[in-house]
Structure formats: structure tokens, C-alpha cells
Amino acid sequence: MTRTRSLLRSPEPLLEEHSRLWKLVERCRSTLHETNVRSEYLNSLFRRLLEQLLNHFSHEEEHGYFSDLIEEAPQLESTVEELYRQHPRMVELIVRISNEMENREPGEERRCRLTSIYDEFYHLFKRHEAEETLLLQNAFNSDLGGHD
């Protein structure tokens, strides 16, 4: 049995990782919109998000989540490559937020910049994760279809 088939039959580790990442993404989003949040706390949330995001992308790119999938379903390679190309932009946006957090400038203007950057990240991330879900569904269907 290949690792892809194992992943498709037992996707719990991947699903747990996605769940943890989504919870942190949502927590950052809600905290960013709070009015009396300490900058240090918000900064620590975004540092954690960056760390988890890099970890997540590493698992996808380097640790076989999608490379094994391509072995099993080569027709999905272009979709996987497109997903990989989205990773640097999402990382760049979170790094921009972290850099902006180091700027101690108080006020609504700063909050608006942070919110704008995060909203771009959030929508890209949401679309990216939906595309990943569709990719895994297609791979699963391919895997099942191969056993008829």
C-alpha cells in the first residue's frame, strides 16, 4: 500500500493539522478585530501562525503529502503545482503583518493596514484550502476508481 493510499484511507493526521491551523487562522482574525488587544499578544499569535503555516506547507511540499498523491494520480500534478505556487504569497503576507507589528505606531491607521493585509491572507488561505480539499477528493475518487 502506498503512502497516498494510506493518507486517503487514514487522513486523520492531515485533518488534525488542518483543524489546528484553521483554528489559529480564525483566532488571529477575531483577535485582530478586537479593540483592546495588546500588541504583544497579537504579535505572538501571528508568530505562531507563521510557524504553523510554514510547518503545514513543509508537510505538503517536502514530506510526501502531495508528492505521493501525484505518483498515484499524475493528472493532478498541475493542480498541486498551482497550490505550491500560492504558498510564498501567504507566507509573505503573514511576514508583512509581523513586520507591521514591530512598528509600534498606535492608532486606527495601523489597525486598518493590519486588517487589510490579513483579509488578503485570509481570503487566499480560504480559497487555497478549498482547492486542497477538492484535490484530495479527486485523488480519493481516482484511488477508488483504480480498484473497480
Side-chain angles (χ1 to χ4, degrees), residues 28-145:
C28 287
R29 186 173 191 228
S30 65
T31 304
L32 186 59
H33 289 88
E34 292 176 12
T35 53
N36 293 322
V37 64
R38 290 182 24 178
S39 288
E40 294 82 13
Y41 176 70
L42 192 57
N43 197 15
S44 72
L45 278 179
F46 283 109
R47 281 194 309 266
R48 275 193 16 230
L49 177 58
L50 180 59
E51 182 181 309
Q52 283 192 22
L53 200 60
L54 290 170
N55 215 16
H56 176 68
F57 292 160
S58 171
H59 291 154
E60 290 177 357
E61 295 175 13
E62 300 165 14
H63 296 131
Y65 280 177
F66 291 149
S67 59
D68 290 341
L69 186 144
I70 291 169
E71 255 182 58
E72 290 293 317
Q75 71 276 16
L76 300 176
E77 183 173 14
S78 64
T79 304
V80 169
E81 291 301 321
E82 178 57 34
L83 288 169
Y84 286 171
R85 283 191 291 275
Q86 295 171 8
H87 291 173
R89 179 64 181 154
M90 287 184 277
V91 169
E92 175 191 334
L93 290 167
I94 299 304
V95 167
R96 278 182 56 202
I97 289 172
S98 292
N99 290 341
E100 187 70 35
M101 292 298 301
E102 290 178 14
N103 173 3
R104 299 282 184 196
E105 167 195 330
E108 192 58 29
E109 187 177 320
R110 177 175 173 245
R111 180 176 293 282
C112 287
R113 281 194 311 268
L114 289 170
T115 301
S116 175
I117 297 167
Y118 193 75
D119 285 347
E120 182 181 347
F121 163 79
Y122 183 81
H123 294 293
L124 181 57
F125 181 76
K126 188 175 174 181
R127 188 182 78 229
H128 177 84
E129 291 298 301
E131 290 170 0
E132 277 186 4
T133 298
L134 185 59
L135 173 74
L136 290 171
Q137 289 170 345
N138 288 337
F140 181 75
N141 290 334
S142 261
D143 194 47
L144 286 178

